[in-house]
Amino acid sequence: MYEYLETADPALVEAGKLKRVAVDPVSRVEGHGKVTLLLDENNQVQQARLHIVEFRGFEKFIQGRPYWELPVMVQRLCGICPVSHHLAAAKAIDQLVGVDPANLPPAADKLRRLLHFGQVLQSHALHFFHLSSPDLLFGFESEIGKRSIVAVLADYPDIGLQGVKLRKYGQEVIRMVCGKRIHGTGAIPGGMNKALSKDERDYLKQDIGQIVSWAQGALQLVTKVHTSNLPYYDDFATIRSNYLSLTKPDGALELYHGGIRVKNQQGEPLVDHYDYCDYQELIREEVRSWTYMKFPYLTALGKADGWYRVGPLARVNNCDFIDTPLAEAARVEFKQHGGATMVHSTLAFHWTRMIELLHCAESIQILLDDPDLLSNDLVAKGEKRYEGIGVIEAPRGTLFHHYQIDENDIVTKANLIVSTTSNNTAMNESVRQVAAEYLSGRELTEPLLNNLEVAIRAYDPCLSCATHAVGKMPLQLELVDADGKLVDKLVRHSSGEFIHGCE
């Protein structure tokens, strides 16, 4: 692979023989990040890194709060996928009140699933149409003025408008279930706080047929774009990896609740329907000094070989089938295109994202005919526990929420592994692949550097979500006077060592 580009030769760095190029910030992603390259005198790339430069402490300030606040509080991690955090936290606190997923009332389970399908639909539509379609429609090295949804609306008004309306519909599903499009309330310990009314259900049914049709159109568009640019789209930013996701017991694609399935790059199962409550035996994390995002890996394979990918590509690669007919037909076509057990093309994230968009639209259409959505049997009760773990497939991949509480119902410990965090090594590898294969040795220009951002955007990263953690992260605090002179400095290294002073 391309791990040799993670760190440049220290001798070259110390000798001052390398020049630095930065893409700062990475655009059209949620959150703040940058890419840095170190180049030698021949413009050969010696180092390429994706840095996450914002720091947040959700795991720490969750502690000391009563557990029932968590499903609302953790939504503030993200404005794009708040529902995913809401539901992962809700599944965890269900366990704190003694309610396992199998014991959740059917009406509550279906309302949560409807909510989640609306969330994934709107998020996938936002990413594909608003953030990525300018690259796919105008080219990776297009002029800056073309790199926005505004340009798409101007040149491809039908496509742009359908994207806006698809996202709006997903947001309306969320509003009907939770009361608000962003940061609403719905899931509570052991269930849901309200059913759909008949009017709310009928309102959503009005447009669902059109939504399914538009989802099919979006899938046809991405399929055409990908297959019309071969082998470039199959090769660009492509790496071989392990894949992790949830699946149903029968192997079907699953977004809300299932067991963990991991496959290696040859498609061989490493674990199947693994109980996610034992995730700490399966996954560990490490930190590195140059980024605020952790690096998860499979314990059994170790740091070097155990990194993996999550998200739409992982889910479609890992599942045996999709239980809605149009999306399943699309999955079969996608796998036939790949011609192998596993599809490793990084740009295929876009293709699989639209397969899932169609699956969500079909699933919403089916659920809206279910009378349980109108039922008021919404809450189950059980015996108190002191630990709860909730795992869900967020739009960007598998999301883990883990809480411990004391006898006063106060959170004493919190651990979150966010989807984008799981893709950290993979995103860095894709950045290095593009740097090595498409940029190294060339005179770098702004349009050419956009290729690095294209590689990152394929993963649909949520960088704000992924920098929630605290621990032995490197930090540097500087005190500067009114004239800009450094007065004092405090540095904490990744080892945990503190150094104080301006020297």
Side-chain angles (χ1 to χ4, degrees):
M1 302 299 285
Y2 299 88
E3 62 272 7
Y4 66 92
L5 289 179
E6 179 178 330
T7 303
D9 183 345
L12 294 176
V13 177
E14 292 175 7
K17 294 183 177 181
L18 300 180
K19 59 183 178 180
R20 181 177 181 271
V21 175
V23 178
D24 185 10
V26 175
S27 62
R28 281 182 281 139
V29 298
E30 204 288 327
H32 302 283
K34 67 179 179 181
V35 174
T36 61
L37 305 176
L38 293 182
L39 309 177
D40 64 18
E41 59 186 8
N42 297 315
N43 282 338
Q44 296 292 324
V45 176
Q46 300 297 317
Q47 177 177 295
R49 291 174 173 176
L50 167 63
H51 308 259
I52 310 307
V53 296
E54 58 182 331
F55 173 78
R56 309 171 80 200
F58 260 86
E59 285 179 330
K60 191 65 177 178
F61 64 69
I62 284 173
Q63 295 177 28
R65 307 304 305 176
Y67 72 79
W68 54 81
E69 291 183 355
L70 297 181
V72 174
M73 180 183 293
V74 297
Q75 292 187 82
R76 272 65 185 179
L77 273 161
C78 182
I80 294 178
C81 52
V83 170
S84 300
H85 290 288
H86 179 66
L87 289 175
K91 291 180 71 176
I93 67 171
D94 285 345
Q95 293 185 1
L96 296 179
V97 299
V99 177
D100 293 314
N103 300 325
L104 203 68
D109 179 79
K110 291 172 184 178
L111 282 165
R112 288 186 182 186
R113 289 177 181 274
L114 177 65
L115 175 62
H116 193 42
F117 287 133
Q119 157 68 24
V120 177
L121 188 149
Q122 71 84 18
S123 179
H124 281 357
L126 170 66
H127 178 263
F128 180 72
F129 289 97
H130 293 66
L131 305 181
S132 291
S133 69
D135 298 321
L136 305 179
L137 295 173
F138 298 121
F140 298 173
E141 298 176 25
S142 61
E143 58 184 274
I144 293 177
K146 292 292 187 181
R147 300 181 205 163
S148 72
I149 185 62
V150 176
V152 174
L153 285 165
D155 288 21
Y156 301 93
D158 290 342
I159 292 173
L161 190 59
Q162 286 176 19
V164 171
K165 290 184 175 180
L166 276 165
R167 180 168 190 254
K168 179 183 177 182
Y169 184 84
Q171 294 287 72
E172 286 297 279
V173 172
I174 295 169
R175 185 171 71 89
M176 291 299 103
V177 178
C178 286
K180 294 196 301 181
R181 295 181 181 90
I182 299 176
H183 299 161
T185 59
I188 57 175
M192 293 289 286
N193 63 7
K194 81 173 189 71
L196 281 186
S197 69
K198 185 177 182 298
D199 287 345
E200 290 169 336
R201 191 267 319 268
D202 292 345
Y203 168 73
L204 293 176
K205 290 182 72 171
Q206 290 176 8
D207 295 326
I208 187 58
Q210 182 64 72
I211 295 301
V212 172
S213 178
W214 282 339
Q216 288 180 278
L219 177 58
Q220 291 169 359
L221 172 62
V222 74
T223 303
K224 179 180 178 181
V225 169
H226 193 108
T227 57
S228 298
N229 290 278
L230 298 176
Y232 184 61
Y233 267 48
D234 279 349
D235 297 338
F236 182 86
T238 292
I239 54 176
R240 300 178 68 84
S241 68
N242 306 300
Y243 295 91
L244 182 149
S245 68
L246 299 180
T247 60
K248 290 182 178 179
D250 59 4
L253 177 77
E254 176 57 27
L255 298 177
Y256 177 72
H257 180 70
I260 295 176
R261 175 179 283 184
V262 180
K263 290 185 178 181
N264 64 18
Q265 60 184 260
Q266 290 80 33
E268 300 164 343
L270 302 179
V271 299
D272 198 9
H273 219 67
Y274 187 92
D275 184 353
Y276 62 63
C277 289
D278 297 324
Y279 79 95
Q280 290 179 303
E281 300 298 319
L282 183 67
I283 299 169
R284 293 186 183 172
E285 299 173 279
E286 66 167 328
V287 297
R288 297 176 191 172
S289 62
W290 45 269
T291 181
Y292 286 123
M293 189 155 59
K294 293 181 180 180
F295 292 82
Y297 61 93
L298 299 168
T299 307
L301 298 183
K303 297 177 183 179
D305 299 321
W307 58 276
Y308 56 91
R309 289 198 273 187
V310 299
L313 181 61
R315 291 189 288 252
V316 174
N317 264 329
N318 276 357
C319 75
D320 298 327
F321 66 98
I322 300 176
D323 59 9
T324 55
L326 298 176
E328 169 60 8
R331 183 197 69 85
V332 171
E333 180 183 359
F334 170 75
K335 297 291 280 188
Q336 288 175 342
H337 163 77
T341 304
M342 307 297 278
V343 177
H344 295 289
S345 167
T346 295
L347 291 180
F349 267 99
H350 297 300
W351 192 341
T352 51
R353 195 168 286 119
M354 292 302 96
I355 293 173
E356 289 190 340
L357 180 102
L358 178 56
H359 169 63
C360 289
E362 290 183 280
S363 298
I364 291 170
Q365 187 172 45
I366 293 168
L367 271 174
L368 289 176
D369 286 328
D370 194 318
D372 280 344
L373 295 182
L374 310 182
S375 170
N376 288 311
D377 180 15
L378 294 173
V379 181
K381 296 181 179 180
E383 295 296 322
K384 178 180 175 179
R385 304 173 192 168
Y386 292 88
E387 185 172 32
I389 298 171
V391 178
I392 198 167
E393 284 292 338
R396 291 151 189 82
T398 317
L399 170 64
F400 297 79
H401 278 232
H402 182 184
Y403 307 114
Q404 294 177 0
I405 61 172
D406 63 17
E407 63 277 2
N408 297 314
D409 298 335
I410 300 300
V411 177
T412 59
K413 182 179 179 180
N415 184 47
L416 282 65
I417 302 179
V418 179
S419 316
T420 297
T421 306
S422 289
N423 279 331
N424 193 7
T425 300
M427 288 190 294
N428 273 280
E429 278 291 296
S430 287
V431 164
R432 293 170 196 138
Q433 194 265 12
V434 171
E437 302 296 335
Y438 300 93
L439 305 185
S440 194
R442 299 178 64 180
E443 186 66 33
L444 296 186
T445 62
E446 191 283 329
L448 195 60
L449 289 173
N450 186 54
N451 284 274
L452 297 170
E453 297 187 66
V454 171
I456 297 166
R457 276 192 289 270
Y459 291 88
D460 186 17
C462 182
L463 306 180
S464 298
C465 292
T467 57
H468 60 276
V470 295
K472 293 182 179 179
M473 296 288 190
L475 293 171
Q476 180 169 306
L477 180 65
E478 294 182 349
L479 178 63
V480 180
D481 65 18
D483 297 323
K485 182 180 178 181
L486 182 65
V487 176
D488 201 0
K489 181 169 70 173
L490 179 66
V491 177
R492 183 180 72 188
H493 293 292
S494 57
S495 64
E497 177 190 7
F498 283 89
I499 297 178
H500 182 262
C502 297
E503 296 302 324

